[in-house]
Amino acid sequence: MTATAATATVEVPVDPDTAFWIFTEEIDLWWVRGPINFFDAARATAMHIEPHLDGRILEVYALPDDVLELGRITAWSPGNHFTYRSSVDDTQTHITFTPTDSGTEVTVVQSLVQDGAKAFYFWPNVISWFPAWLSRRDTAPSTPREADRLAIALYYEDPAAAARWLHTAYGLDSWSTIPAEGSSPSWIELNVGTRAILLFPRTAPNPPQNDHSTWIFVDDLDAHFAQATAAGAKILTPIHQHGYRRYETQDLEGHHWTFAQARPTQ
């Protein structure tokens, strides 16, 4: 049965008017350009919100006037809230900006409309990109961060637990957030530079686990090896030199990883 709603909340260290303006006007900067973060990632060039009642939420493509309408704005109150009715599924999304002692609480409620059947509840994954953007906004480039052309997909029984383990053992981070205990997002995106590692729930029974090895270059291989060992990673081959100085390890569900020493200029 389709869930009837999905809710997510983040807090940002700016006032509601500023938060609202950045959220809507700079969506193309804080929207992560990962390989699965658009309806047509092969053609998408931008995200855009038309800032008024009956304005459109758009996924923009390269050709003039070539867009995908994601929704239509049904309520618009700058600094307070806006609501849009989805054009791609049967949901309505209400986004509020509430003042707090330290800034603004941004809450997104994505709900199935009456008699609706289809819902893509992506906002719980997406909303964490917004505070991540604010934390680096003053020093970040004023053009969207492009994803690298290589991405890796890994399948786990528990992707959220795997993400936390990969963060602790291998130091992998995310442009958005590492999922907390008890959370179960539909997908998780970890990042190494501009490259994405996508974690998905395993659906096929007993798929092959060791038919690949993920390579990552790190600044300090010895420190990384010590971190992974302390976290309980299974070391398949300790640090050795053969072309690259590297070591091989296995994660908590059997995936193989190779960590190599990066060049000083890399």
Side-chain angles (χ1 to χ4, degrees):
M1 187 175 78
T2 303
T4 58
T7 302
T9 299
V10 295
E11 187 163 346
V12 293
V14 295
D15 63 86
D17 286 336
T18 302
F20 187 99
W21 187 89
I22 294 174
F23 189 103
T24 55
E25 292 293 326
E26 296 186 1
I27 190 170
D28 191 43
L29 294 174
W30 63 260
W31 194 274
V32 174
R33 274 165 156 66
I36 62 171
N37 298 340
F38 294 90
F39 281 84
D40 190 347
R43 297 195 301 131
T45 62
M47 291 288 291
H48 180 64
I49 295 177
E50 296 177 339
H52 53 77
L53 193 63
D54 201 39
R56 297 173 297 167
I57 316 292
L58 298 173
E59 184 171 298
V60 181
Y61 304 129
L63 298 175
D65 301 321
D66 186 9
V67 299
L68 172 64
E69 181 182 302
L70 303 178
R72 286 270 180 170
I73 295 172
T74 58
W76 183 260
S77 179
N80 185 274
H81 70 271
F82 74 96
T83 304
Y84 74 89
R85 173 66 165 88
S86 175
S87 304
V88 294
D89 66 3
D90 302 321
T91 64
Q92 175 177 278
T93 299
H94 185 58
I95 304 172
T96 57
F97 299 79
T98 306
T100 66
D101 291 340
S102 55
T104 301
E105 184 178 83
V106 183
T107 299
V108 178
V109 180
Q110 187 177 6
S111 306
L112 194 67
V113 300
Q114 187 174 1
D115 299 324
K118 182 171 63 174
F120 305 125
Y121 291 124
F122 59 85
W123 273 109
N125 291 76
V126 167
I127 190 62
S128 58
W129 302 343
F130 183 53
W133 162 247
L134 280 170
S135 69
R136 67 180 191 274
R137 181 173 178 262
D138 290 341
T139 57
S142 57
T143 54
R145 184 206 298 248
E146 290 295 339
D148 197 275
R149 290 179 179 269
L150 172 65
I152 299 163
L154 301 177
Y155 296 82
Y156 291 93
E157 294 291 341
D158 187 341
R164 292 190 295 273
W165 192 91
L166 293 169
H167 175 66
T168 300
Y170 295 161
L172 301 188
D173 220 328
S174 173
W175 294 345
S176 51
T177 187
I178 302 297
E181 189 83 33
S183 63
S184 55
S186 54
W187 86 90
I188 299 161
E189 185 171 323
L190 303 178
N191 305 99
V192 180
T194 58
R195 295 187 176 181
I197 299 174
L198 307 172
L199 310 186
F200 294 103
R202 179 179 292 155
T203 54
N206 301 317
Q209 293 176 306
N210 301 325
D211 59 347
H212 69 279
S213 181
T214 304
W215 278 63
I216 297 179
F217 291 87
V218 297
D219 291 332
D220 187 335
L221 187 66
D222 296 280
H224 195 277
F225 179 83
Q227 176 182 339
T229 302
K234 181 178 180 180
I235 304 301
L236 300 174
T237 308
I239 293 176
H240 60 287
Q241 180 81 37
H242 183 74
Y244 289 104
R245 186 169 179 261
R246 64 185 189 269
Y247 76 94
E248 286 81 26
T249 176
Q250 182 174 296
D251 69 19
L252 76 172
E253 289 194 17
H255 296 292
H256 287 194
W257 298 71
T258 296
F259 292 95
Q261 179 66 52
R263 301 187 308 274
T265 57
Q266 187 166 318

